[in-house]
Amino acid sequence: MPALKKIALTVTSAALLSGFVLSPAAAADKDKSDAKQPKPPSTMSGIGGERLGKAGTQVDLGPGAPVLPKGLTGRSWIVADAESGDVLAAHNSHWRLPPASTLKMLFADTVLPALQPTTLTHKVTESELAGVGEGSSLVGIKEDHTYTVHDLWLGVFLRSGNDAVHVLSEMYGGVPKTVDAMKAHAEELQALDTVVVSPDGYDAPRQVSSAYDLTLIARSGLQKKDFREYAATASADFPGEKKKGKKRDSFEIQNTNRLITGDIGVDPYQGIAGVKNGYTSHAGNTFTGVAERNGRVLLVTVMNPSAEESHAVYKEAAHLLDWGFAASGKVTPVGQLVPPKSVDTGTGTGTATGGKGAAPAAGADQGSGGQAEASHAAAANGSSGVGIALAIIGGLLVLLAGGVFLVNRRWPLTGLARRTPATTDAAEPTEAAERTEPTEPAGPTEPKASTGPTDSAGSTEKS
């Protein structure tokens, strides 16, 4: 008996060292930790296919397909082919979660057609900054200073500036009008998991989206030339503070998308071409990205991965993109990215056809073989979803081939992406010029430009 006990203890010790079992105390702690984690609804939206409405990971591996990356911690994620709309794999993709600044993709997709980048200047008033939330990410806009619309869009896309979003919203007709327009556009895109409360993605009660919806929104935005170019810009000059008797200088702002610019522990991703990242203390980290490799364009969204590892959202997105490129053609799709309602004459389940005379989505490119031609071609082929996808990949590849999208097309590049100069004169760099983003999401990262409301959780943001 002592010998048997000794053998049992040896086996147990070896198992513990090998990581196969946990000690009773460790197992109890893990159970308690798991019990505190939110769980996805057992039933979610079926838009895009029945499989996407199920909780858990959905993937159908074919012969030769690589297994999914190990250690994924995102509460929700999705990998999709931008050309075909095929969802290659998904995990709780319709789980409604706080989106943080990835919601700015919907803001830009809605407002850009009405506020095209120009050199015309706009003088910012105190009231236009009054609603910016406490702890918001800022680009450094100052009241009584002038900025071009182009400057403001750089602030939105690169620095995820809530101050820039609020100024553009006021120029659009006010925050309430902007929110209403975003709601209508989300419904048109069939992004029905999305509830818009604030135009900038700052935490607000009931404001949610999903990995599926954010991917739909990104796909729509990428049909717009300006959207694509801003999303791919790595750095730009931004107007600084104007001081009496001095020429107005500018300071450099850098894209906070670490798969474009890189950071400690994160390498720039080969073929990355945007789109948007976000963080608040309530939402955790969120990210939607688009990347091209060997003529194939993939979209990925990751929401709220583990906060224990620095830059987990970028690392997991990169792993999923690597998997998607390796798995393309070797997996059976588990769903579809649906087209907008104006194109989809069916039920929104990913199986609808466009039919004759299907209309192109709002804001689509008309000058580079874009959405209009693609939609008509799709109608002829009986598949409106193909038309939407062709517009995206057509626009992306035209830009890539033309050298406008200088994002790792020729790897490696000396400059990761486009660099855009400021369009106005300026003076000494403001505080925003010297701010750097911390590697850990631990509280507010930038000073607040104005007094505004906070959400009930006292959210802080970085993007």
Side-chain angles (χ1 to χ4, degrees):
M1 182 69 74
L4 289 175
K5 183 179 289 187
K6 183 177 181 180
I7 292 172
L9 287 171
T10 302
V11 171
T12 302
S13 299
L16 284 169
L17 289 171
S18 302
F20 289 110
V21 297
L22 295 171
S23 68
D29 289 342
K30 184 178 185 302
D31 289 342
K32 289 179 182 178
S33 176
D34 290 345
K36 293 179 181 179
Q37 296 299 317
K39 305 296 183 185
S42 57
T43 302
M44 293 172 280
S45 169
I47 289 180
E50 182 181 353
R51 292 280 298 275
L52 300 182
K54 296 181 178 179
T57 301
Q58 308 299 320
V59 64
D60 285 337
L61 301 177
V67 297
L68 283 166
K70 295 180 180 179
L72 296 174
T73 64
R75 291 181 181 174
S76 175
W77 53 259
I78 190 170
V79 184
D81 188 304
E83 179 179 12
S84 65
D86 290 341
V87 176
L88 306 184
H91 179 76
N92 303 327
S93 63
H94 277 295
W95 190 0
R96 294 182 170 191
L97 296 167
S101 286
T102 47
L103 194 67
K104 288 183 173 74
M105 295 188 297
L106 179 60
F107 169 76
D109 195 34
T110 303
V111 176
L112 252 174
L115 295 177
Q116 288 290 299
T118 68
T119 57
L120 296 177
T121 59
H122 172 78
K123 189 172 184 179
V124 175
T125 65
E126 181 180 3
S127 63
E128 290 173 334
L129 298 173
V132 178
E134 184 76 39
S136 285
S137 57
L138 308 171
V139 67
I141 290 172
K142 303 292 184 183
E143 63 182 82
D144 297 325
H145 284 58
T146 58
Y147 302 87
T148 67
V149 177
H150 174 63
D151 293 331
L152 296 172
W153 282 119
L154 286 171
V156 171
F157 277 87
L158 273 66
R159 288 298 302 168
S160 200
N162 289 4
D163 45 0
V165 170
H166 277 257
V167 173
L168 286 167
S169 295
E170 292 299 330
M171 293 173 68
Y172 188 75
V175 169
K177 179 180 177 180
T178 302
V179 168
D180 287 344
M182 290 171 67
K183 289 178 180 178
H185 191 49
E187 184 174 350
E188 156 65 12
L189 296 179
Q190 303 200 65
L192 304 184
D193 296 327
T194 300
V195 177
V196 183
V197 179
S198 66
D200 48 25
Y202 185 83
D203 286 337
R206 299 180 303 281
Q207 180 157 271
V208 291
S209 189
S210 67
Y212 183 88
D213 279 14
L214 292 173
T215 307
L216 279 186
I217 292 163
R219 196 180 189 216
S220 175
L222 289 167
Q223 294 174 63
K224 299 174 176 64
K225 181 177 181 291
D226 293 324
F227 187 106
R228 292 193 298 265
E229 292 183 354
Y230 282 124
T233 299
S235 63
D237 290 331
F238 193 81
E241 185 175 3
K242 176 65 176 176
K243 295 186 177 181
K244 189 174 181 180
K246 294 185 179 181
K247 182 180 178 181
R248 188 178 183 184
D249 290 332
S250 62
F251 58 90
E252 183 178 280
I253 57 175
Q254 189 179 71
N255 200 317
T256 55
N257 177 350
R258 296 312 185 202
L259 290 190
I260 287 180
T261 59
D263 200 359
I264 298 174
V266 179
D267 293 326
Y269 190 81
Q270 183 175 352
I272 192 69
V275 176
K276 190 72 190 76
N277 56 300
Y279 170 82
T280 68
S281 53
H282 182 50
N285 286 285
T286 58
F287 176 72
T288 297
V290 62
E292 184 272 345
R293 188 176 296 174
N294 298 325
R296 189 179 295 275
V297 182
L298 295 184
L299 286 159
V300 62
T301 296
V302 177
M303 300 186 77
N304 204 334
S306 170
E308 295 180 2
E309 181 179 8
S310 176
H311 296 318
V313 74
Y314 299 113
K315 295 173 183 178
E316 295 189 16
H319 292 326
L320 285 168
L321 284 170
D322 285 342
W323 174 85
F325 286 120
S328 293
K330 300 175 184 176
V331 296
T332 301
V334 295
Q336 283 279 319
L337 299 178
V338 296
K341 283 184 177 180
S342 60
V343 178
D344 182 3
T345 59
T347 61
T349 59
T351 58
T353 57
K356 193 171 182 178
D365 283 341
Q366 303 296 329
S368 59
Q371 169 94 32
E373 292 87 347
S375 292
H376 291 304
N381 292 330
S383 174
S384 58
V386 171
I388 301 298
L390 286 174
I392 295 170
I393 193 168
L396 282 172
L397 294 181
V398 165
L399 285 173
L400 285 164
V404 180
F405 238 54
L406 301 181
V407 188
N408 300 340
R409 179 63 168 173
R410 300 181 302 277
W411 185 259
L413 293 177
T414 53
L416 293 174
R418 298 174 64 252
R419 191 180 185 287
T420 303
T423 55
T424 61
D425 294 331
E428 293 298 320
T430 63
E431 289 180 346
E434 302 173 356
R435 289 194 293 265
T436 57
E437 181 185 358
T439 57
E440 296 293 342
T445 62
E446 306 188 39
K448 196 174 77 66
S450 60
T451 302
T454 62
D455 73 300
S456 57
S459 176
T460 58
E461 175 184 26
K462 79 175 179 66
S463 296

